[in-house]
Structure formats: C-alpha cells, structure tokens
Amino acid sequence: MPMLSSNMNCVAEFFTYETTKSVVVKSWTVGVINRAVQLLIISYFIGWVFLHEKAYQVRDTSIESSVVTKVKGFGKYTNRVMDTADYVTPPQGTSVFVIITKQIVTENQVQGFCPESEVKYSCVSDSDCQRPVPTTGGGILTGRCVNYNRSLRTCEIQGWCPAEVDTVQAPIMLEAENFTLFIKNSIRFPLFDFEKGNLLPNLTAQDIRTCRFHPVNQPFCPILRLGDIVRFAGQDFSKLASTGGILGIKIGWVCDLDRSWEHCVPSYTFTRLDSVSEKNNVSPGYNFRYAKYYRRENGTEYRTLMKAFGIRFDVLVYGNAGKFNIIPTLINTVAAFTSVGVGTVLCDIILLNFLKGAEQYKAKKFEEVTEVTLRHSPVYRSSQMLGGRNDEKQSTDSGAYSIGL
Ligand SMILES: *[C@@H]1O[C@H](CO)[C@@H](O)[C@H](O)[C@H]1NC(C)=O
C-alpha cells in the first residue's frame, strides 16, 4: 500500500505545470529600449526574412537544364570563306563550344627527323642537346645538333616534321564579330514539376529570325551577336579574338512560383571566365592544337597541324524556384516570435548594471534562498517564501502574474 501511494505522488508530481514569474519594471529608459529592440527584431523578420528572403517558401535549387547552341555566319580567313563547320568546335551544338578566330597552320607534316624551329633550342655542339632541355618542343630530342638554316643550328627531334613555328603573326577573322549565336534552353524544377524554356510563347517565328539580344530592348531574344556578348562581358573583340579567351553566358532562372507562369523568365548575363589569363602574361588567352590527317597515294601519312586561338563560350544555367509551403512558414514564424525575447537579455544587462537603483532591481529579480530558510518553511514553492506580500497584479507584457511593487 505505501508503495502505491508513493507511485501516485510521482504521477501527481509529473502532471504539473511550471511557469516563470515576471518582474515588471516601470522605468522609461529600459521600457523604451525594450520596445525599440522588439520593434527592430519584428521589422527585421517581416521586412528581410519574410518579404525579401521569402522565408515562407520552400525552395528548389536543383535546376535541370539542357542547352542547344547554333552559330551562324560566314567569315573570310586566308582567302578562304569559312562556314560553321570550319570554325565551330565541337560541332554538336553543346553548351561549351569554341569559335576559332585565328589559326597558325603547319602543313605537310610527316613522321621523321628534323631540327627544332625555335631559337631557344639553338646549340653549338651535340653536348648542348644532351643536357636536360625544355620538353615543350615538337618531338623527342635525339641528342644531335644540326643545321636549321644557314645561320642557326638547333637540336634535332624525332616526330612530326617540319616542326611548327608558332611565333608568326597570323591574322584574325574579324567577321566573327557579326556571327550570331542561337541558344535554346529548357529548364525544369523537379520539386514543383515546373518546366519552361527560353523561347517564350510571345516570340513569333519572325522575331526569332530577326531579333538580336539586347539587355534592355530585347532581353528575351535568344539570338545573340558575338560582338555584343564580348562587349557585355567588358572585353575588346579584336584583342580577345587574337589571344583567345573564355566567356560565360549565364542564364539565370530565379522564379517565384506563387506568381503566374509568365513571370518566370530567364535573365542573361555575361562575364569573362578566365580572368586569370587576362591578368598574367605567362599564359595569356586560350588556344589548342588539332590536326587533320591524310594519306598520300604511296601510303605515307601526313597531317596539317593547326594551332587554334578562339573564344570559348560556356553557357551556364543556374536558378532556383520558391513556392509557399506551410512548414517553412511555421518554422520561421516561431523563430520570429522566439527572437523577440532576445531583447530581454539586453534589457537585463542594462537594468542590472547601468541603471540608477540597479541594486534594488537586482534584489527584486534574484531572491536568495538559503538552507536555513528552507528548513523553516518546507513548502518552499509557496509564494510566501519568495515575495512575502500577496497582492498580485497582471503584467501587460507577457500576461503572467507578478508581484505588485
Ligand atoms: C558587321 O556588320 C555591320 C553591319 O552589317 C558592318 O557594317 C560591319 O562592317 C560588319 N563587321 C565586320 C567585321 O565585318
């Protein structure tokens, strides 16, 4: 039986509710600070968190996208008319492609032995070619020093001969400035199953043929002039075409799906991505080599080596979409209400340390209970212990009862 009653006690102890007691401070200074801090916190949450950052929405940042590109235009280069198949690589219309604007061509290379073509490989005797020498040349060094021309002797290589001379000045294909780039971009936000493309429905077939992108006048035209892209990226076309470079065409889809379908539109921005090569002289620009291989009638293979300088375009698609959802709304609302309480920390510091009469406030706020007091009044939870006086008064702030002053 005593066992049971002690259990009952435990249960009764468990089913109780504890609430904190409040001290109401009638002080203008702390009162004003308290309200000001609360107002600041509330306006931060309403203005920034809810309205600006849209904390009531759930966001999908995993945008799915496909990009198809097509370049059009004819250029003239070394007495040849160049079409898309000549200057665009790779030809598949991917989101990353190069427009070749300058080429250094080395024709009729065959496998064999020949002297290096550059002055930095010059030598007097074979021993000069047996020391470790730069390996950036045209082939494997044989260790012999041979005549390159009447005045220059260079180290001999085994490889594709004759060796490339890439220090010559080559012209650039200036017409590339007027080439056009057509971008077809489809996106999807999988969380909301929302799909859209950059060819907006109000764009007619006629528009698509004639329009040219302009950030203000034609912000949704999917046809871009290369010269414009370079200019929007803050670059000089002929300089970029000469050294080569990498430009980023960024298509941003930042959508508020609480608004209608029409309001989700792409925005195009342009930057130079290889800014490191812009600022240093060791490796300026962008170039690469490729070759075309042929076979003579007698079976010997020969090739045409091309060192190509060009503008590489990277079409980068980014974006996120938000839509109202009850869970983030609740979480952020609760966070807002909780944060209002942060003001009390500041007010307490001022109240208990810097205000006139801080000692009295301290005495009211913190009541000391010693063991002796406890032994004399075993029911230490009663209000007799803490205040002594019983006239209670309601606080306007939290709705809690507090001791009247
Ligand atoms: C580009 O086109 C404009 C107008 O059609 C023309 O005046 C200009 O000469 C062209 N630029 C080049 C480099 O061909």
Side-chain angles (χ1 to χ4, degrees):
M1 263 327 182
M3 199 56 177
L4 189 74
S5 82
S6 96
N7 274 352
M8 284 301 283
N9 265 348
C10 264
V11 172
E13 291 259 321
F14 179 73
F15 286 108
T16 52
Y17 172 68
E18 289 175 28
T19 182
T20 43
K21 237 172 148 181
S22 303
V23 177
V24 178
V25 178
K26 299 239 160 142
S27 153
W28 274 96
T29 325
V30 191
V32 168
I33 293 172
N34 180 36
R35 295 301 178 201
V37 170
Q38 285 181 345
L39 191 73
L40 211 71
I41 293 171
I42 289 171
S43 46
Y44 164 76
F45 268 94
I46 292 176
W48 182 262
V49 176
F50 278 92
L51 295 182
H52 187 267
E53 293 292 303
K54 298 197 169 63
Y56 56 87
Q57 289 184 331
V58 61
R59 297 208 85 74
D60 186 359
T61 51
S62 61
I63 184 171
E64 294 170 355
S65 140
S66 83
V67 170
V68 175
T69 58
K70 191 171 267 184
V71 182
K72 280 190 178 161
F74 296 98
K76 264 197 175 147
Y77 198 72
T78 57
N79 297 323
R80 280 203 298 169
V81 172
M82 309 277 278
D83 66 6
T84 314
D86 294 321
Y87 60 72
V88 178
T89 177
Q92 285 87 357
T94 51
S95 61
V96 179
F97 61 94
V98 182
I99 293 185
I100 298 168
T101 48
K102 181 171 119 177
Q103 272 183 334
I104 295 170
V105 183
T106 312
E107 277 177 291
N108 297 324
Q109 283 190 321
V110 292
Q111 284 283 322
F113 294 86
C114 56
E116 271 287 8
S117 60
E118 283 179 59
V119 179
K120 66 178 170 190
Y121 297 102
S122 66
C123 55
V124 179
S125 64
D126 286 358
S127 63
D128 294 334
C129 297
Q130 277 144 17
R131 283 179 280 127
V133 272
T135 52
T136 51
I140 299 170
L141 292 166
T142 59
R144 284 189 294 267
C145 186
V146 294
N147 286 333
Y148 177 67
N149 54 29
R150 275 163 195 269
S151 56
L152 183 65
R153 278 168 70 81
T154 59
C155 295
E156 190 190 51
I157 53 155
Q158 180 182 7
W160 288 99
C161 289
E164 178 193 51
V165 184
D166 68 353
T167 48
V168 295
Q169 286 295 318
I172 59 171
M173 184 169 66
L174 270 176
E175 291 83 2
E177 198 174 3
N178 277 344
F179 292 174
T180 57
L181 166 64
F182 170 66
I183 300 176
K184 195 162 67 175
N185 173 218
S186 304
I187 58 120
R188 182 165 173 270
F189 290 109
L191 188 62
F192 309 119
D193 202 12
F194 177 92
E195 286 181 327
K196 199 153 184 184
N198 71 330
L199 309 181
L200 302 182
N202 56 358
L203 215 66
T204 64
Q206 172 69 19
D207 286 340
I208 287 193
R209 248 175 284 139
T210 56
C211 77
R212 290 289 174 275
F213 175 85
H214 186 276
V216 179
N217 304 332
Q218 291 279 341
F220 304 122
C221 174
I223 297 180
L224 301 95
R225 193 175 153 267
L226 295 196
D228 290 343
I229 299 175
V230 173
R231 193 158 45 84
F232 297 146
Q235 303 295 316
D236 174 61
F237 188 86
S238 52
K239 191 161 161 256
L240 192 67
S242 169
T243 61
I246 303 171
L247 296 185
I249 301 171
K250 294 189 283 182
I251 307 180
W253 294 87
V254 179
C255 294
D256 180 357
L257 300 186
D258 290 330
R259 306 176 71 194
S260 67
W261 192 84
E262 287 75 33
H263 281 102
C264 182
V265 289
S267 74
Y268 298 78
T269 45
F270 310 90
T271 47
R272 178 154 187 187
L273 294 177
D274 63 334
S275 47
V276 61
S277 50
E278 207 180 341
K279 292 182 193 98
N280 86 27
N281 298 321
V282 182
S283 167
Y286 171 72
N287 64 70
F288 59 94
R289 286 185 177 80
Y290 68 100
K292 289 173 181 163
Y293 296 85
Y294 311 93
R295 205 172 278 279
R296 294 211 173 90
E297 260 162 42
N298 66 8
T300 53
E301 190 184 25
Y302 70 103
R303 73 170 191 184
T304 302
L305 176 70
M306 250 96 45
K307 181 179 183 181
F309 296 78
I311 305 172
R312 196 175 97 188
F313 293 91
D314 288 18
V315 183
L316 309 166
V317 180
Y318 67 94
N320 62 70
K323 200 172 192 175
F324 172 79
N325 190 289
I326 192 71
I327 292 169
T329 310
L330 279 180
I331 291 172
N332 286 298
T333 311
V334 170
F337 281 123
T338 318
S339 303
V340 171
V342 171
T344 57
V345 176
L346 183 70
C347 291
D348 273 1
I349 292 172
I350 295 166
L351 182 72
L352 303 175
N353 297 294
F354 303 112
L355 228 56
K356 232 192 268 170
E359 284 306 314
Q360 272 119 303
Y361 291 128
K362 233 178 250 182
K364 279 279 179 224
K365 188 168 162 63
F366 303 110
E367 275 169 294
E368 283 174 26
V369 179
T370 59
E371 263 184 88
V372 181
T373 351
L374 278 182
R375 232 175 282 130
H376 285 283
S377 55
V379 236
Y380 61 90
R381 274 193 199 159
S382 85
S383 65
Q384 302 288 324
M385 256 284 313
L386 299 172
R389 252 178 291 168
N390 253 341
D391 47 334
E392 283 177 335
K393 172 172 178 296
Q394 198 171 11
S395 151
T396 49
D397 195 324
S398 56
Y401 278 91
S402 66
I403 309 149
L405 294 171

